[in-house]
Amino acid sequence: MSWLWHWLDERIPGGARWAYVFGSALVFLILAQLASGIALAFTYSASVPAAWASVARIEQTALGHLLRGMHAQGATFLLAVAGLHLLQTALFGAYRAPRQATWWLGLLLLALLLAFCLTGSLLPWDERGYWATRVTVGIAASAPLMGHALQSLMTGGSEFGNLTLTRFYAVHASLLPLLLLVFVIAHVAAMRRHGVTPPVHIDAARTEPFWPRQALYDAGFALLLLAALLVAAATLGAPLQGPADPGGAANPRPEWYFRPLFQVLKILPARLEAVGAFGIPLLAAAFLCALPFIDKDARRRPAVLGGLLGGLGAAALLCIASYHSDAKAPEFVRAEALAQVRAKKALRLARTIGVPPEGALAMIESQPDERGRRLFQRACTECHTLRGEGGVKAPRLDGFLSKRWIRGLLLRPDSNEYYGAVPISGMESYKDLGEDSLQKLTDFLHGLRSRAPDDPALESGLRVFLRADCGECHSLKKGEDEGGPSLYGYGSREWLSGMVGDPGAPGYYTEQNKMPDFGNRLQPSDIQELVAFLQTLEGDEALAQEAP
Amino acid sequence: MNRRKLLANAAVGAGIAAAGAAVWPLAAAATDTGAGEPPGEAPWIDVGAEKELRPGAPLKAALRASVRDGFFTTLQDLGAVWLMRSAAGIAALSATCPHLGCGIVPRSDGQPGFACPCHDSRFRADGELEKGPAARGMDPLPVRVAEGRVQVQAARFAPGVSARRRV
């Protein structure tokens, strides 16, 4: 036990302080990451078909969800505490001789932590990780001179694939932990050799043993962090988007600690890109490394602190600007909402039908509505806009057939989101119907897909339908032509199949029709898939036009 | 030099040699890029029927081909392509942003042309660069029409630079 007492009796120059808790807290957080990381590795599988599926498997157990949360939120905690540790030691001037080696080892550890974050984000092989890493590798590939070698080292070939994952996993889960362990030991040993640096006004000659006061401060802070980490893990969890789709597109955004750099890349023109991507980080690193040489006497201290705090302030401003510009970009907000929809669907499918050996993307593509989505993109977006893509010659289909969409149709049938751009007219706005009747009519039309018009559940809506003279143009009998489409089975699979297959038929738009008859262009099975997709659009109700 | 010192030096030397020898397989593993692509011309990938393409209505298609991906030979998406028809014929533009490799989408403001959702580069309808940070326009891919079907060869280009260099 004597070695333990030797440790605990270490003298602290100037006495115990709360300001010294960050170093031991970092060791504690690193150990927590190691523990959660090992636990995750028991299930994780690093290959393109398996990675997302194995992470989804982890996510679907209560403990797995918490573990992923701890690992992902732990990374944020680590970088935040590392930042505080750096700031505290810099403010106290702890980088000065004879402690330069401790300082440099600390900076190296910070770089290792960032490397952990970069390599870890790819491992789930979800949309976010995939596209964010493409950008990371893209930045590396645009490096002067060694760009190509770097890229091929990182991806293990010209294309992102299995070898990219095994590489990132090997670095994340074996090489980096080993290096981290070695340099943490070196950093702590170097720190103990010269002790901590007390603030300038404190008499360093007066010392106090580590035990008990400093040890209790450290333990108290570590416990506080653990509690906060558990809360963050349980409430925020770890993000898992849908499986990566290399043929798709996404709006990847880096974590908060890379946001300043992201914003710089967005602002700078192409010819200054290398300056932003490499110059600024290298300059910051060089400044931090050079602190022991720059700040040798007290007169230079204000300038050094000004540089440090100014740099941090600029980074914080860039970070805020980046989040702000995203929040007010409607296309970004919509893309995020759609990514959420895809993520939920992928997790639901993984739980219900399971992931085949071909991978999670194949699982999604095996769904009729997904094949329908692809057909829609090819066949329908020339005229219909959906999710921000497509033409404006026909109604917008965000939230198609949802109550909100139907309500908007009743209020503004001639607006450009509905039939304003189509040479079909005659329907008037029902905005004067009154809120209660409008609601009942909306529910009635929404209910027709699964109930007969005279179903007792639809009775009150039917009364509004008749009172508002909707029946003058819209029959409630199958296929009957009253000038406008028959609403028998409106929105049902059968009604939609007829609409897509032959929109000029009696009971649909007859001679007013301008939509191509896809029954002549597509296979019957294609139409069924397209209809299956159209029926899922109701799930995007939030994207439908907000009724005024 | 006494015997103790000689043995010590020999032991240290052997240790360094062993560590040095360990670097070799490590470096070999890190630089191994798998079995690599089979030699020969890149395959022509079917991306749809020619009659589907109408002027002013670009179509997106995934470039799916059977490739050797490390330890599997598998169907894989090698990115995607935007196909368009104009007076000059059918063009195929890679949907991979020449800036840093994100997926390019149509502009969301109703204007013709394309945009990258990552760093907000803009491209004209013919793929020419309109606004950075991308350093060049969208990368054209080899395209041909055979028996009414449009076929494209997949390719990747070095990101971030103005010169179009295939990787």
Side-chain angles (χ1 to χ4, degrees), chain A residues 159 162 167 251 273 365 378, chain B residues 30 32 47 64 99 117 156:
Chain A
E159 198 62 45
N162 288 309
R167 260 148 217 264
N251 275 17
E273 180 124 328
E365 288 175 0
R378 299 187 78 103
Chain B
D32 167 35
V47 288
R64 186 162 295 189
H99 178 219
R156 296 281 198 194

Side-chain angles (χ1 to χ4, degrees), chain A residues 75-402:
Chain A
T76 276
F77 274 58
L78 256 176
L79 282 169
V81 176
L84 290 172
H85 185 52
L86 184 142
L87 209 56
Q88 181 267 317
T89 43
L91 288 177
F92 284 23
Y95 44 73
R96 289 206 195 97
R99 297 185 181 84
Q100 309 97 314
T102 321
W103 174 253
W104 290 328
L105 282 166
L107 293 176
L108 185 65
L109 286 169
L110 182 63
L112 286 178
L113 290 183
L114 290 173
F116 267 107
C117 295
L118 282 180
T119 48
S121 76
L122 177 70
L123 299 183
W125 203 252
D126 63 346
E127 290 185 33
R128 182 194 174 97
Y130 176 87
W131 290 104
T133 308
R134 279 206 83 97
V135 174
T136 309
V137 171
I139 292 173
S142 62
L145 304 176
M146 54 182 182
H148 182 64
L150 265 180
Q151 180 188 23
S152 116
L153 192 68
M154 286 167 92
T155 49
S158 60
E159 198 62 45
F160 268 50
N162 288 309
L163 293 180
T164 321
L165 263 178
T166 51
R167 260 148 217 264
F168 273 63
Y169 190 44
V171 171
H172 184 81
S174 68
L175 187 61
L176 285 175
L178 192 68
L179 291 175
L180 191 75
L181 190 72
V182 168
F183 288 112
V184 163
I185 290 173
H187 185 64
V188 172
M191 185 277 288
R192 287 180 58 88
R193 191 178 165 133
H194 298 294
V196 295
T197 311
V200 187
H201 60 277
I202 297 292
D203 176 17
R206 189 185 68 81
T207 64
E208 177 187 339
F210 179 75
W211 181 265
R213 223 152 59 94
Q214 189 64 51
L216 292 181
Y217 285 176
D218 285 9
F221 186 65
L223 278 178
L224 198 72
L225 276 180
L226 180 64
L229 180 56
L230 281 171
V231 170
T235 53
L236 302 172
L240 180 63
Q241 293 196 331
D245 178 3
N251 275 17
R253 292 293 183 265
E255 297 291 340
W256 57 271
Y257 34 84
F258 285 120
R259 279 277 180 151
L261 199 56
F262 168 79
Q263 189 66 7
V264 166
L265 285 185
K266 212 166 159 177
I267 295 168
L268 284 184
R271 63 198 156 80
L272 294 178
E273 180 124 328
V275 176
F278 306 104
I280 293 176
L282 282 176
L283 203 67
F287 172 72
L288 289 172
C289 287
L291 276 184
F293 306 119
I294 303 172
D295 179 21
K296 272 186 172 158
D297 66 86
R299 275 171 305 170
R300 293 198 198 163
R301 187 125 181 85
V304 167
L305 286 183
L308 196 65
L309 294 175
L312 269 178
L317 280 180
L318 282 167
C319 188
I320 292 167
S322 168
Y323 280 105
H324 181 70
S325 81
D326 276 350
K328 68 181 170 71
E331 56 268 44
F332 178 79
V333 174
R334 185 175 54 223
E336 284 291 286
L338 285 170
Q340 292 284 333
V341 171
R342 288 197 296 272
K344 270 199 190 129
K345 180 179 169 189
L347 281 168
R348 177 173 52 76
L349 287 175
R351 207 171 38 241
T352 49
I353 65 170
V355 183
E358 299 79 41
L361 203 57
M363 168 189 79
I364 292 173
E365 288 175 0
S366 72
Q367 297 301 297
D369 65 302
E370 176 60 24
R371 290 205 297 274
R373 185 181 71 82
R374 287 172 188 239
L375 275 168
F376 183 91
Q377 279 187 332
R378 299 187 78 103
C380 313
T381 47
E382 189 182 338
C383 301
H384 292 280
T385 285
L386 181 71
R387 298 168 182 173
E389 283 182 29
V392 290
K393 291 183 234 168
R396 212 173 107 169
L397 295 181
D398 289 310
F400 181 48
L401 292 175
S402 66

